[in-house]
Amino acid sequence: MYQLVDASFEIDDKIILSPTNLTFTQGEITTLLGHNGCGKSTLIKLLSRQNTPSHGKVMFQKKQISSYSHMKFAHQVAYLPQHPPVTDGVTVRELVCLGRYPWKGAFGRYSQQDYAIVDSAIEKVGLSNLAERYVASLSGGERQRAWVAMLLAQQSQCILLDEPTSALDVAHQHELLALIRELNQSLGLTVIMVLHDVNMAAKFSDRLIALHSGKVIASGTPEELMTPDTLRKIYGMELALFPHPTTGQPISYIP
């Protein structure tokens, strides 16, 4: 679906992301990992067209993403930044309706089909009983679900999430990521996201990509990356592993 071909990004001659070659597979959840400042948010901003590569190309469906109009690109890709806009005075339903904007334009009239898509998106994230509540009055977990519903209403093939769990407690992190996995499996959504918690990433992802100092240093399945040597390279510290008592999945901890 996505492909980076020698794509790099720099600011004032400072390299933020070194020339990178990556392919992202359709229908999978791919998570970008690494310490603060390693380049993962820069990478997802290249994928979302928030940043333009300094060199190289970013391809989507075998076309350079710069060749898509804003509307056509939004039909394909939905993006949720780390810090979404303030939503004071906006209800859940009104927020989710914004997901239809790429299909209707600024002055397009919403049809019954549009409203049905909005209601379906709200239902999928479990917020039907809160549809008329103001987004600002919701808990952090509910608020993130509302933003995910907006992405679903956009009906894009791929969603990009930049640290969607950063403001959530552990219980709500797990709840949100379980929802994203369920939507990935039930709707065939391609998901590319940035996370800090390697255990959460391993549990809910098909593929992990680890960055360090603006370079990709490891890429593979959670099982392939969840080793002491690889984790040491990613985080610069010793992490030990033990198998989950039920699933056998490796879980990291500080010894």
Side-chain angles (χ1 to χ4, degrees), residues 109-178:
R109 298 187 64 175
Y110 284 26
S111 66
Q112 288 302 115
Q113 181 182 11
D114 290 309
Y115 289 118
I117 291 169
V118 167
D119 288 340
S120 175
I122 294 172
E123 181 182 3
K124 282 184 172 68
V125 302
L127 290 182
S128 294
N129 61 329
L130 300 177
E132 304 307 324
R133 282 268 300 273
Y134 289 114
V135 176
S137 72
L138 302 179
S139 69
E142 291 166 344
R143 197 175 303 130
Q144 286 297 79
R145 283 174 170 263
W147 282 105
V148 170
M150 188 197 75
L151 301 186
L152 292 179
Q154 194 170 323
Q155 291 192 309
S156 304
Q157 299 179 43
C158 177
I159 62 174
L160 307 175
L161 307 168
D162 191 355
E163 298 193 33
T165 62
S166 60
L168 303 180
D169 59 40
V170 173
H172 285 107
Q173 288 180 34
H174 190 278
E175 182 183 78
L176 179 67
L177 293 174

Side-chain angles (χ1 to χ4, degrees), residues 27-86:
E28 289 188 348
I29 294 181
T30 302
T31 297
L32 309 178
L33 293 169
H35 59 75
N36 289 338
C38 69
K40 54 188 185 297
S41 286
T42 298
L43 176 51
I44 207 162
K45 286 177 181 176
L46 290 178
L47 299 177
S48 61
R49 298 208 315 187
Q50 303 301 302
N51 288 340
T52 301
S54 302
H55 304 283
K57 297 183 290 187
V58 179
M59 313 290 288
F60 182 83
Q61 303 290 34
K62 299 182 180 181
K63 292 173 57 179
Q64 287 200 56
I65 60 172
S66 58
S67 69
Y68 289 86
S69 69
H70 290 296
M71 287 293 196
K72 289 295 185 183
F73 188 69
H75 291 173
Q76 303 290 330
V77 178
Y79 169 62
L80 182 62
Q82 183 178 352
H83 302 293
V86 176

Side-chain angles (χ1 to χ4, degrees), residues 187-226:
L187 302 177
L189 279 178
T190 303
V191 180
I192 303 170
M193 59 183 174
V194 172
L195 291 180
H196 276 293
D197 190 317
V198 65
N199 290 321
M200 290 286 193
K203 180 177 176 65
F204 292 106
S205 306
D206 298 297
R207 183 184 177 206
L208 304 177
I209 296 174
L211 293 99
H212 193 290
S213 303
K215 297 180 180 179
V216 174
I217 60 170
S219 175
T221 65
E223 292 75 20
E224 290 169 340
L225 263 67
M226 291 291 279

Side-chain angles (χ1 to χ4, degrees), residues 3 7 11 37 75 86 95 98 107 111 120 130 165 180-181 196 214 220 237 241:
Q3 187 177 16
I11 299 176
H75 291 173
V86 176
L95 175 66
L98 295 177
F107 304 105
S111 66
S120 175
L130 300 177
T165 62
I180 291 168
R181 171 55 98 183
H196 276 293
M237 63 183 297
L241 295 162

